[in-house]
Amino acid sequence: MQTAAPQKIYLKDYTPPAYLVDSVELTFKLAPTTTRVLSRIAFRPNPDAQSRDFFLHGEQLKLISASIDGVSITPEITATGLTHTVPNAPFVFEAEVEISPETNTALEGLYMSNGMYCTQCEAEGFRKITYYPDRPDVMSVFTVRIESDLPVLLSNGNPAAKGDGWAEWHDPWPKPAYLFALVGGDLVNHPDRFTTMSGKDVELNIWVRPGDDEQKCAFGMAALKKSMKWDEDVYGREYDLDIFNIVAVDDFNMGAMENKGLNIFNSSAVLASPETSTDANFERIEAIIAHEYFHNWTGNRITCRDWFQLCLKEGLTVFRDQQFTGDMRSHAVKRIDDAVVLRAHQFREDNGPLAHPVRPESFVEINNFYTVTVYEKGAEIIGMLKRLVGDDGYKKALDLYFDRHDGDAATIEDWLQVFEDATGRDLSQFAKWYSQAGTPRVSITDSYADGTYSLTLSQHTPATPDQDEKTPMVIPVAVGLLNDNGDEIVPTRILELTEATQTFTFDGLASKPVPSILRGFSAPVILEHDQTNAERAFLLAHDTDPFNRWDAGRTLAQDVLIQMVREDATPDTAYLDGLLALLRDDSLDPAFRALALSLPSQDDTAQALVDAGETPDPTAIYRAHEALTLHIAQHLQDTLPRIYADMMVTGPYTPDAVSAGKRSLGNRMLTLMSKLDGGKQASQQYATADNMTQQLAALASLLKIGKGADELAAFEQRWHHDRLVMDKWFGLQVSCAAPEDAAKVAAKLTEHPAFTMKNPNRFRAVFGALKGNTAGFHDPSGASYDLLADWLIKLDALNPQTTARMSTSFDTWKRYDADRQTKMKAALQRIAETPNLSRDTTEMVTRILG
Ligand code: 0A1
Ligand code: ZN
């Protein structure tokens, strides 16, 4: 088929749909390569429409028959849909189409995964199931009949009826097509129940394939019930159907999907057991279950008018899942974790060729905009709004949002309007956070005279693709002041930076204070603050704000690393002594100490060098990181065994935050000890661990010192039957490989019989780890670039979405030296020139090349 030239879609071109849908009835006759989908759609002209053109989206469908009001028609069909003349009054459109789920390797629309039928319709997958106005502002009530011999047949809403070989479902809540879902398979359920705040009894199920997985649903179920309760307690939101189903599938492009009443999960995002899952897995599962559940209100009951408004549901829902995790675990640790992710991934995106506003203004393929900017920066915007209007203002605004927009397909303007109406605040300048791309830099100068301390803040946002000129934003900067003894003399206050440069004063101070700026990471900005190492070490020791205490250590570490990269220096002892004091302070949360002892990522160091106007050398950065780790190990050497022993949790494994924090610090000790003891302790931990967290950390410690071959073989032997555990086995070897070996290790793993590019988790295990091994990915040979390009070209023919996403590994190419640039550019061009390259990957590679 001839692929049309990729067409750009613009926010400014939005027009309301020509026809609305009152009801949809779908019948699925499931068969691997010949599934029939019968549709009966009740349309009515939209009184607000600007045209009467009738167009239904539809791709890769075989039309069997169609009719309008019972009269057979022969519509005009293109590669993207169907048109026909229609009455200027309500009418019923019916069609029968044939699709082939078994050969659908793109994992979008209706597809098969290990014998199970499942769907993924967000963003525009429903058009691969049948002809329909596949846009989120067309909402309708769905009734679904599924015919198949498979024992379990699920769809959205409540079960209506079932018999031998069929089941019917009815979803009373109008929804856009992207929230449609269907599952058919030989599945077993882990059942439970929940009573809502108004006393309604809800049936809960997690569905998995029969086998090992049945044992792995309990944690996810507990997380679901906690989420349901939390949303009632904190947001006053209750569940609204008789049943809530979650299904685990092995082949899935993303983490999970919030389809109404029938959430579909990547099995990695729901299945957990102590033997097979790490603490990080448990925490991620709890967060994703919460995230998808919270979408029931923020996404489903109130959806998006168009895909440019994606952050309306995603930013808010991420913000809500972050609040939830903070409440369940530790707010301080969660804030640090979120900042680490934001800086590592979103700042990288914002600084490179893929930078885009949280609400983009155009796209070729919407699947390419499920980004850290839309999700994580989108969540940061909500956090800033809450900081600016206060907790009460936020609560009033959210209550108004749910009242006013329940059942709507809404916009960012609607969202900001409820905050303006609820709090009386003018948000016109704040709205720029949605339209202006790039990470603002906030620079600091200060002075003290006659009891008055003056803090001058200046803001500047660098140019990004398509946006040269930036204007000042509203930036909430949380500041506290300490005196020389480390006492807090001015508690946290929010300074609202709205101009390019502004001075704030603090009176009545006996001496020049030490400022603690951007507490709690109060805005997603880069702080440019020339502090001395001594001042940073002081904050690391005394700051009362846990985020800034951690950040002082991180900034110090970054400065030390940069020094070491530049001139092979030995690390500043102020830093090493600070770490030692922190490690020995048993009053501090172990999870916090573990974070404080972790170095910034090598990619972060590379970006910091770029910010300093230098060209980073990934090999030199790797060496500096290794050397600093060794220095830390030596400096802390006397204390490591004691803390390691203290952190050994006794009794059966539990995934709670306190135990996980201890294991995290214990494992950090183990990594450092392994640098000195040749892996003795790690081998022992590997042999005795009864849980995956400690087993995997021990194996990683060994691999990082070039040992662990026997353990690696034993691990494979033990876990070869478990896909999710084997993903760890694949990934770990690549992430722990020495830089010069990384491409070879990855290439060898692609020859392993268990490697398959049809499973996104497996593909990501290898190639995500290759990207994460910064020095290995950027090895001067260029071998990793070539390998990744080879595989992306192969994968694109099967799964464009995952290919496009993984092509972002190349997005930092302009940071590096001419030789690396030439090699990366060649790899990108080779991908770009592949015949029949997908629209998804074409858009990404074109944008990366710039
Ligand atoms: N809405 C889901 C994410 C998601 C997006 C796209 C997908 O397929 C293209 C799948 C899932 C979420 O935020 O969890
Ligand atoms: Zn989401």
Side-chain angles (χ1 to χ4, degrees):
M1 191 178 36
Q2 187 64 35
T3 41
Q7 214 194 326
K8 237 188 198 187
I9 301 171
Y10 293 89
L11 168 60
K12 64 175 170 39
D13 293 343
Y14 172 83
T15 55
Y19 296 87
L20 301 175
V21 176
D22 288 323
S23 66
V24 194
E25 287 161 43
L26 300 171
T27 300
F28 288 82
K29 303 180 181 201
L30 297 179
T33 55
T34 54
T35 289
R36 289 286 171 106
V37 185
L38 286 73
S39 58
R40 186 173 196 281
I41 310 170
F43 283 103
R44 104 183 113 84
N46 179 3
D48 299 330
Q50 292 157 17
S51 103
R52 282 279 161 262
D53 293 342
F54 181 69
F55 175 77
L56 301 182
H57 298 101
E59 286 174 20
Q60 298 159 37
L61 305 172
K62 184 163 137 196
L63 182 65
I64 306 296
S65 64
S67 69
I68 288 178
D69 288 334
V71 178
S72 170
I73 58 166
T74 308
E76 188 185 323
I77 308 252
T78 67
T80 57
L82 162 166
T83 56
H84 200 269
T85 53
V86 295
N88 193 12
F91 63 93
V92 173
F93 171 89
E94 286 177 275
E96 178 166 358
V97 302
E98 188 173 285
I99 52 179
S100 171
E102 191 175 70
T103 53
N104 178 357
T105 56
L107 314 182
E108 190 185 46
L110 177 67
Y111 65 95
M112 295 193 79
S113 169
N114 292 318
M116 166 177 156
Y117 292 87
C118 63
T119 53
Q120 174 52 43
C121 293
E122 188 177 7
E124 300 181 332
F126 192 75
R127 61 191 62 183
K128 292 177 159 186
I129 292 176
T130 194
Y131 289 102
Y132 197 78
D134 187 7
R135 43 186 288 170
D137 55 355
V138 174
M139 300 170 82
S140 178
V141 171
F142 281 64
T143 305
V144 176
R145 178 182 167 88
I146 311 167
E147 298 177 10
S148 162
D149 291 339
L150 289 163
V152 177
L153 305 172
L154 308 172
S155 190
N156 314 93
N158 294 319
K162 73 174 169 190
D164 218 15
W166 61 274
E168 287 176 3
W169 291 80
H170 177 73
D171 183 359
W173 298 103
K175 66 168 175 289
Y178 83 85
L179 291 172
F180 168 81
L182 173 153
V183 167
D186 181 5
L187 303 172
V188 289
N189 65 329
H190 178 100
D192 209 329
R193 307 200 80 84
F194 181 82
T195 306
T196 69
M197 62 193 202
S198 71
K200 253 183 48 185
D201 181 43
V202 183
E203 176 185 337
L204 311 175
N205 292 300
I206 298 182
W207 297 90
V208 297
R209 286 190 293 129
D212 294 353
D213 293 352
E214 290 158 64
Q215 282 22 280
K216 299 181 189 157
C217 298
F219 179 80
M221 183 57 84
L224 174 60
K225 293 202 289 184
K226 281 197 266 182
S227 309
M228 295 177 86
K229 180 76 170 67
W230 186 91
D231 214 14
E232 293 182 347
D233 292 347
V234 180
Y235 281 85
R237 300 293 114 200
E238 185 177 9
Y239 188 60
D240 53 6
L241 289 167
D242 303 339
I243 185 165
F244 188 79
N245 285 310
I246 287 178
V247 180
V249 305
D250 290 330
D251 302 294
F252 201 76
N253 280 330
M254 310 276 272
M257 178 63 209
E258 71 262 24
N259 316 300
K260 184 80 187 188
L262 176 53
N263 288 1
I264 297 184
F265 273 62
N266 186 320
S267 48
S268 76
V270 56
L271 302 180
S273 79
E275 299 74 35
T276 57
S277 314
T278 62
D279 290 330
N281 295 149
F282 277 98
E283 181 169 340
R284 173 172 179 260
I285 288 167
E286 186 174 80
I288 298 185
I289 297 239
H291 180 97
E292 304 311 329
Y293 176 74
F294 296 158
H295 267 315
N296 191 52
W297 275 93
T298 51
N300 301 2
R301 288 285 286 258
I302 305 178
T303 194
C304 304
R305 185 193 72 174
D306 55 73
W307 290 120
F308 296 102
Q309 322 294 329
L310 181 59
C311 62
L312 178 74
K313 74 176 177 83
E314 295 305 346
L316 177 54
T317 306
V318 170
F319 181 70
R320 275 150 52 70
D321 81 53
Q322 292 173 343
Q323 287 182 300
F324 170 79
T325 300
D327 283 354
M328 296 298 123
R329 290 163 180 265
S330 147
H331 285 284
V333 169
K334 178 62 179 157
R335 193 65 192 131
I336 295 169
D337 285 342
D338 290 340
V340 168
V341 169
L342 196 84
R343 283 170 168 163
H345 303 288
Q346 200 280 323
F347 283 13
R348 167 174 165 151
E349 187 164 80
D350 242 356
N351 262 309
L354 297 175
H356 57 273
V358 170
R359 179 168 69 177
E361 262 131 42
S362 71
F363 62 75
V364 173
E365 171 51 65
I366 184 58
N367 285 334
N368 287 335
F369 284 86
Y370 286 77
T371 61
V372 272
T373 296
V374 171
Y375 275 64
E376 265 71 24
K377 189 173 178 182
E380 289 300 320
I381 296 180
I382 307 214
M384 285 190 287
L385 258 179
K386 185 162 181 277
R387 235 158 264 134
L388 290 170
V389 303
D391 292 351
D392 288 346
Y394 179 78
K395 188 172 180 325
K396 277 196 208 123
L398 268 284
D399 287 344
L400 181 59
Y401 181 61
F402 292 120
D403 268 2
R404 187 183 282 175
H405 292 294
D406 186 12
D408 285 354
T411 62
I412 289 301
E413 283 72 20
D414 295 330
W415 164 253
L416 289 173
Q417 191 65 51
V418 299
F419 276 82
E420 294 201 333
D421 293 350
T423 67
R425 211 189 144 103
D426 176 359
L427 291 173
S428 42
Q429 188 187 2
F430 184 83
K432 271 189 227 169
W433 278 105
Y434 287 101
S435 59
Q436 203 159 274
T439 307
R441 313 298 202 257
V442 174
S443 59
I444 313 284
T445 53
D446 62 354
S447 62
Y448 174 83
D450 305 329
T452 298
Y453 177 64
S454 306
L455 203 53
T456 299
L457 309 183
S458 303
Q459 59 167 306
H460 153 78
T461 305
T464 50
D466 303 330
Q467 281 188 351
D468 294 337
E469 295 297 321
K470 313 275 179 172
T471 52
M473 321 263 270
V474 183
I475 304 180
V477 182
V479 173
L481 303 179
L482 308 180
N483 69 13
D484 289 343
N485 301 330
D487 306 321
E488 180 153 286
I489 43 170
V490 174
T492 308
R493 109 171 28 153
I494 305 280
L495 310 180
E496 289 186 25
L497 176 62
T498 55
E499 328 241 319
T501 297
Q502 243 168 301
T503 298
F504 301 87
T505 54
F506 301 80
D507 298 323
L509 302 179
S511 61
K512 186 174 182 188
V514 180
S516 164
I517 301 176
L518 205 69
R519 284 185 155 181
F521 200 48
S522 60
V525 302
I526 292 173
L527 212 53
E528 293 171 346
H529 189 192
D530 266 334
Q531 269 175 317
T532 62
N533 281 359
E535 281 169 319
R536 289 189 172 132
F538 176 83
L539 289 173
L540 175 63
H542 299 293
D543 204 327
T544 53
D545 180 72
F547 178 85
N548 265 14
R549 192 166 178 191
W550 166 81
D551 207 31
R554 180 192 171 275
T555 316
L556 201 47
Q558 193 72 278
D559 288 350
V560 167
L561 283 164
I562 288 177
Q563 251 358 82
M564 292 172 78
V565 170
R566 282 185 188 142
E567 56 203 75
D568 254 343
T570 49
D572 192 324
T573 45
Y575 170 61
L576 297 175
D577 289 341
L579 284 189
L580 184 58
L582 199 117
L583 178 61
R584 284 184 177 153
D585 184 348
D586 291 325
S587 71
L588 291 172
D589 179 1
F592 177 82
R593 281 185 273 169
L595 285 168
L597 283 162
S598 310
L599 298 181
S601 74
Q602 292 171 42
D603 194 68
D604 273 359
T605 307
Q607 183 59 46
L609 282 160
V610 174
D611 287 341
E614 296 172 39
T615 302
D617 173 2
T619 313
I621 293 172
Y622 169 80
R623 286 204 198 105
H625 273 248
E626 286 293 298
L628 182 54
T629 306
L630 185 60
H631 277 292
I632 294 173
Q634 286 161 344
H635 201 81
L636 309 186
Q637 126 161 251
D638 296 340
T639 310
L640 297 175
R642 199 256 305 159
I643 306 285
Y644 179 72
D646 285 357
M647 293 305 130
M648 279 295 143
V649 188
T650 51
Y653 172 95
T654 57
D656 65 279
V658 172
S659 318
K662 286 185 167 180
R663 280 187 291 269
S664 170
L665 183 55
N667 285 335
R668 186 79 202 126
M669 300 297 95
L670 186 69
T671 307
L672 294 172
M673 278 149 66
S674 302
K675 297 276 171 200
L676 307 173
D677 75 355
K680 218 172 117 225
Q681 193 64 52
S683 297
Q684 197 181 327
Q685 176 166 319
Y686 183 86
T688 54
D690 66 351
N691 63 79
M692 183 51 68
T693 307
Q694 286 172 323
Q695 191 166 63
L696 204 68
L699 185 54
S701 292
L702 290 169
L703 294 177
K704 278 190 211 136
I705 55 166
K707 304 221 163 138
D710 292 347
E711 284 81 358
L712 204 54
F715 191 99
E716 183 187 12
Q717 179 78 20
R718 164 132 193 239
W719 295 114
H720 63 94
H721 61 279
D722 188 311
R723 279 182 163 218
L724 296 175
V725 180
M726 283 304 284
D727 288 335
K728 301 184 200 308
W729 183 85
F730 275 90
L732 200 66
Q733 295 178 65
V734 181
S735 47
C736 295
E740 63 280 12
D741 298 333
K744 263 176 277 166
V745 170
K748 180 130 184 285
L749 285 170
T750 62
E751 289 160 16
H752 189 284
F755 180 80
T756 164
M757 62 174 167
K758 284 197 176 158
N759 179 253
N761 291 359
R762 188 56 49 85
F763 190 88
R764 279 189 289 255
V766 173
F767 290 104
L770 188 59
K771 170 194 182 182
N773 186 332
T774 308
F777 185 64
H778 295 289
D779 184 66
S781 66
S784 293
Y785 306 150
D786 291 342
L787 182 73
L788 181 60
D790 291 347
W791 279 96
L792 290 178
I793 289 167
K794 283 190 241 186
L795 184 66
D796 189 66
L798 299 180
N799 185 336
Q801 235 183 76
T802 293
T803 310
R805 194 161 269 273
M806 301 288 294
S807 70
T808 60
S809 304
F810 290 109
D811 71 346
T812 52
W813 70 280
K814 285 189 182 154
R815 267 187 197 165
Y816 295 101
D817 54 89
D819 190 42
R820 285 187 172 91
Q821 283 202 21
T822 308
K823 290 183 164 119
M824 272 190 270
K825 203 170 160 195
L828 283 163
Q829 271 161 349
R830 197 152 60 82
I831 300 171
E833 285 156 14
T834 305
N836 301 318
L837 193 72
S838 68
R839 185 172 51 162
D840 308 54
T841 308
T842 305
E843 180 186 26
M844 287 307 258
V845 173
T846 311
R847 282 168 63 208
I848 294 171
L849 281 167

